[in-house]
Amino acid sequence: MCGIVGYIGNRNAYPIIIKGLQRLEYRGYDSAGVALYDDGNINVSRTPGKVDDLRAIAASEMTLDGTLGIGHTRWATHGEPNKRNAHPHLSNSGDLVIIHNGIIENYESIKKELIQRGYVFHSDTDTEVLVNLIEEVKKKENVKLGKAVQIALNQVIGAYAIAVFDRTKPDEIVVAKLGSPLAIGIGEDEFFIASDASPFIEYTNNAVYLEDEEMAIIRRGKEIKLRKIKDDRVAYPMVQELQLNLEAIEKNGFEHFMLKEIYEQPHAIRDTFRGRLRADQGLVKMAGVDQHLERFRNANRIIIVACGTSWHAGLVAEYIFEDLARIPVEVEYASEFRYRNPVITDKDVVIAISQSGETADTLAAIKLAKSHGAFVFGVCNVVGSSIARETDAGAYTHAGPEIGVASTKAFTTQITVLTLLALKLAKEAGTISESHFRNMLTEIEAIPGKVERVLESNPEVEHIARAYKDSTNCLYLGRGYNFPVALEGALKLKEISYIHAEGYPAAEMKHGPIALIDEHMPVFVIATRKGHYEKVVSNIQEIKSRKGKIIAVVTEGDEQVRELADHVVEIPETSECLSPLLTTIPLQLLSYHIAVMRGCNVDQPRNLAKSVTVE
Ligand code: F6R
């Protein structure tokens, strides 16, 4: 977690850093800070809270001049999110200043040694230990900053993306990466450093993404020098042209990123299947699969690893893979899988799903699977992310940047990719008839238009939200393909409105949760016509006879559930396995409106961050 930004060039660094930090707030927003070099001094301002809080105090605390600077927005791991723990951190001499995204696991033993050598610490962070270790190495070995960083990093265990500079050498920034992302934007006689490219997109289209265990020495107006941290080998920067545009990372008139991203889904789903699906020719083309068809063909089973919303997409995929391609599937929380000594063989195909491509547990699960010889296929949204690089092959979702912390378009585009994959494998294995296959392709092509129709129900959903905004508990029920949607609906409500919500398979209700139902309990039920409809109707009746409030997502024209329910939202008819792409939309909108009505910070819910790069 945490976002880092740096600048060295000819412009004033402060506005670039502040704007950049705001774009990275999805990574953490507990505290923020900035350090600028100006006229022989390092000026630092830090504060608990958001980047706006930093902006409000920085001008009164220091001069905002300087063409070299670094900034940080934090998601606390070590130490409370207060001012003293906020980054940047200075070394004891005051000469070195650092920002850090990641965790130094052995910081306590290093700290002890440094204390013995007379170092004093002003924070509880692992980062302050690192900057002082660099200072100690620099003094003891009498080396330049770059070398000192390299030696120090060889002594630490953990993950990091760091940027550090030296007050006595103000034409240079040293950066390094292991486990956390770090991009360097290359302008004319200027360089930008950031956790992703969004902070510098309006200044340059060229970027270098550091690989793990690489560091770079960046000198004002010169070329960047890349080295391997372990053995000092020279590495060569691969300059990539950025595909990002400014519009994609701004709100474009929407009040929140989350709402914008909900509304982007028709477009995002279309972008995800564009070029891969040829309904007219009855073809699914996925380069990452075509090149490794043998591995999929020989797979004994598929293991899906993911966290949070991506795990829910994995559950939907389990139903589709087993239903269409008849391959056994297991879906695992990456955080459990990595620690439970699972049976993995070289006949397994592991699919790792991650929007950010940086989730630490998913990354560790991939490494474990690879070490047992499994073939690992990634489904990521962020191009060039750690998971995308670590997997043997993969398919990107083309959702565009997802900035709201609550995942929305990532979920539907993940399901889209996984459905295409299931169809492709089913066709390969001969487990689907040609006509069913072609119908499915045609049906997928129609999904964006149908999502647009569901979005038209937004005013109705807002009206429903008003009736339930003060609830303290909610139940979400669904069966079959829509059971994971119930889990996802509950997660969306919990994370942005702080209302307790549980998702259940509808039939499980009578094994416990039914005891919770009374006239105060709203129950959101997905009751589409094709998904075990009659059974779900019976569940609805059970709720009604216990006076629960029923809000149902139904297929257009449904009369039976309309009679029973307190509210209904309609979705267009579609095939059962594609229905999650539609049923999830009203639940996203509902959570959004409830959170807004409760005055919650929709895009930056408390305690959360967009990419979870810690265990
Ligand atoms: C929920 C949410 C999280 C993420 C989870 C995995 O709205 O956003 O549950 O889905 O942290 O993140 P990725 O997909 O980036 O691996």
Side-chain angles (χ1 to χ4, degrees), residues 230-280:
K230 274 225 170 95
D231 54 16
D232 206 32
R233 261 181 308 131
V234 173
Y236 295 95
M238 279 260 303
V239 180
Q240 296 187 23
E241 197 173 325
L242 297 170
Q243 302 298 331
L244 212 85
N245 64 41
L246 204 54
E247 215 174 75
I249 55 171
E250 306 218 307
K251 285 191 203 144
N252 286 338
F254 283 90
E255 207 181 324
H256 297 97
F257 280 111
M258 182 180 177
L259 190 61
K260 175 185 172 231
E261 287 157 9
I262 292 173
Y263 271 85
E264 278 173 347
Q265 287 175 108
H267 191 75
I269 293 171
R270 197 174 283 117
D271 281 351
T272 297
F273 68 64
R274 180 178 292 126
R276 291 174 167 153
L277 180 164
R278 306 290 300 266
D280 51 340

Side-chain angles (χ1 to χ4, degrees), residues 307-310 353-357 359 362 405-407 414 491-492 495 610 612:
C307 302
T309 290
S310 297
I353 309 171
S354 175
Q355 187 287 128
S356 62
T359 302
T362 310
V405 163
S407 241
Q414 286 164 348
L491 175 62
K492 286 293 85 98
E495 65 181 333
K610 186 75 184 157
V612 185

Side-chain angles (χ1 to χ4, degrees), residues 26 29 257-259 261-262 309 355 402-411 488 491-497 588 591-592 601-605 608-610:
Y26 72 87
Y29 36 80
F257 280 111
M258 182 180 177
L259 190 61
E261 287 157 9
I262 292 173
T309 290
Q355 187 287 128
E402 192 182 65
I403 293 168
V405 163
S407 241
T408 51
K409 59 179 180 169
F411 181 63
E488 174 60 8
L491 175 62
K492 286 293 85 98
L493 189 69
K494 278 186 269 219
E495 65 181 333
I496 61 169
S497 69
Q588 293 171 346
S591 304
Y592 170 77
N601 188 336
V602 172
D603 285 333
Q604 297 175 342
L608 290 173
K610 186 75 184 157

Side-chain angles (χ1 to χ4, degrees), residues 57-68:
I57 64 146
S60 61
E61 286 195 345
M62 62 189 236
T63 137
L64 303 181
D65 296 333
T67 54
L68 164 62

